[in-house]
């Protein structure tokens, strides 16, 4: 790293730190809120599909569920093309639009906050190198503090809710005067297969949405920022003889400590 790169690198680190602070807050808000809103909308379009495919057969069992029938009553169910287009817009675009609005608000607030704020880099070459290293470390730590959200809780809830009308139909068949054991067994098998398939379909859809939602707080990867920190730390050490000597001394002490541990005799378990 040359001296001419110091000031541009500092300005880059300042921008990264501000962006990561905003993105960390966005990640904390958008991950749960976006996933929950998408899961709820996905549940509604699934109910709409059940009514479209099952008609009166499944509609009677679905109508027994609370709240959901009233929510999907006005949804379009005229044709495959119409229901697919509506489902995509309702499930994906609405939550992404909400996330986009929240992101825009945060971006405008940050722009106003940092409009007239500057962080100059002053001092000697060694002091500037130290400041660069500390700033790069702070940037890396910020990136490592991004929360992680699991999609499998929502996936399990969606699958369980989907099972309710199917189970209701199954119980209705079982309570008949002469239930056919073979038909019940086949229905149970179909139910398990359906739930297994739908679980992974929901997991895939939630994963896709999670990736799309993460574009609103897209940031550099942890490894990239760690490599940046290592490069600047090596630059500081290369121009600061005191820091170099201090680290050499610590390395020698660690090496001696490891040698003493290896040379120490094993403990005698039989000694009293």
């Amino acid at each position: 790293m040359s001296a001419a790169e110091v000031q541009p690198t500092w300005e880059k680190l300042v921008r990264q730190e501000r962006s990561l602070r905003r993105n960390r807050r966005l990640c904390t808000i958008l991950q749960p809120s976006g996933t929950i809103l998408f899961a709820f909308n996905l549940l509604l379009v699934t109910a709409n599909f059940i009514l479209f495919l099952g008609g009166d057969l499944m509609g009677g069992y679905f109508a027994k569920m609370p709240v959901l029938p009233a929510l999907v009553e006005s949804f379009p169910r005229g044709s495959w093309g119409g229901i697919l287009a509506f489902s995509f817009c309702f499930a994906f675009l609405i939550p992404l639009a909400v996330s986009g609005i929240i992101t825009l608000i945060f971006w405008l607030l940050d722009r106003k906050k940092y409009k007239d704020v500057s962080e100059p880099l002053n001092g000697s070459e060694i002091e500037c190198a130290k400041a660069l290293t500390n700033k790069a470390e702070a940037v890396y730590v910020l990136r490592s503090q991004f929360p992680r959200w699991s999609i499998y809780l929502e996936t399990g809830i969606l699958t369980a809710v989907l099972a309710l009308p199917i189970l209701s139909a199954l119980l209705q068949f079982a309570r008949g005067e002469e239930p056919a054991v073979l038909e019940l067994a086949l229905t149970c098998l179909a139910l398990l297969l359906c739930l297994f398939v739908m679980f992974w379909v929901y997991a895939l859809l939630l994963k896709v949405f999670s990736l799309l939602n993460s574009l609103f707080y897209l940031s550099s990867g942890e490894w990239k920022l760690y490599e940046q920190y290592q490069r600047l730390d090596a630059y500081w050490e290369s121009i600061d003889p005191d820091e170099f000597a201090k680290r050499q001394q610590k390395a020698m002490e660690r090496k001696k400590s490891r040698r003493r541990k290896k040379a120490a005799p094993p403990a005698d378990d039989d000694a009293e």
Side-chain angles (χ1 to χ4, degrees):
M1 182 172 177
S2 64
E5 296 179 82
V6 171
Q7 186 63 34
T9 303
W10 173 258
E11 294 173 358
K12 175 186 175 183
L13 289 171
V14 170
R15 291 194 300 270
Q16 282 182 337
E17 185 180 33
R18 293 175 179 178
S19 175
L20 285 171
R21 290 188 186 279
R22 180 181 68 248
N23 287 348
R24 186 180 61 175
R25 294 194 297 269
L26 282 171
C27 182
T28 305
I29 295 172
L30 297 185
Q31 272 189 341
S33 62
T35 304
I36 292 172
L37 180 57
F38 174 75
F40 181 71
N41 287 1
L42 188 59
L43 175 63
L44 294 182
V45 298
T46 302
N48 196 40
F49 260 108
I50 291 175
L51 292 177
F52 174 70
L53 296 174
D56 296 335
L57 177 63
M58 292 301 300
Y61 301 104
F62 178 75
K64 299 177 182 178
M65 299 182 67
V67 182
L68 281 179
L71 293 176
V72 302
E73 184 178 357
S74 60
F75 285 9
R77 292 187 289 273
S79 63
W80 274 102
I83 196 171
L84 288 174
F86 172 79
S87 299
F88 174 78
C89 294
F90 188 78
F92 280 93
L93 297 187
I94 291 179
L96 289 175
V98 172
S99 295
I101 292 171
I102 296 174
T103 302
L104 179 61
I105 292 172
F106 272 80
W107 184 82
L108 291 174
L109 291 175
D110 264 16
R111 186 180 181 185
K112 181 179 179 181
K113 178 180 178 181
Y114 296 116
K115 184 177 181 180
D116 300 319
V117 177
S118 61
E119 295 186 39
L121 180 64
N122 300 315
S124 64
E125 185 181 10
I126 293 176
E127 290 172 340
C128 290
K130 181 180 180 180
L132 282 175
T133 303
N134 292 337
K135 180 68 77 172
E137 183 180 13
V139 166
Y140 167 70
V141 170
L142 272 174
R143 183 62 181 88
S144 65
Q145 291 174 346
F146 274 42
R148 291 172 174 81
W149 186 265
S150 174
I151 61 171
Y152 290 104
L153 176 61
E154 291 81 1
T155 303
I157 293 174
L158 285 173
T159 307
V161 173
L162 176 65
L164 291 179
I166 302 177
L167 284 174
S168 177
L170 179 62
L171 291 175
Q172 188 70 27
F173 293 147
R175 290 172 182 170
E177 295 182 358
E178 297 180 358
V181 177
L182 181 59
E183 291 182 1
L184 290 177
L186 291 176
T187 306
C188 291
L189 182 62
L191 172 63
L192 292 175
L193 181 61
C194 177
L195 294 182
F196 177 79
V197 171
M198 289 308 301
F199 179 87
W200 291 110
V201 168
Y202 282 143
L204 176 62
L205 292 174
L206 282 163
K207 183 65 176 179
V208 170
F209 174 81
S210 180
L211 292 174
L212 292 174
N213 200 38
S214 66
L215 296 176
F216 292 109
Y217 49 87
L218 184 65
S219 306
S220 299
E222 289 186 47
W223 277 111
K224 183 178 180 180
L225 295 180
Y226 181 72
E227 290 174 355
Q228 175 180 256
Y229 161 70
Q230 289 287 347
R231 183 173 67 89
L232 295 176
D233 187 58
Y235 168 68
W236 175 30
E237 185 180 359
S238 68
I239 66 171
D240 189 346
D242 293 336
E243 183 66 20
F244 177 78
K246 186 189 303 182
R247 297 188 184 191
Q248 287 291 102
Q249 181 64 29
K250 289 182 179 180
M252 291 297 295
E253 291 175 357
R254 287 195 298 267
K255 188 179 293 185
K256 290 179 181 179
S257 176
R258 287 196 296 267
R259 286 176 180 174
R260 284 195 297 267
K261 289 181 179 179
K262 289 181 179 180
D268 189 359
D269 296 335
D270 298 330
E272 293 184 0

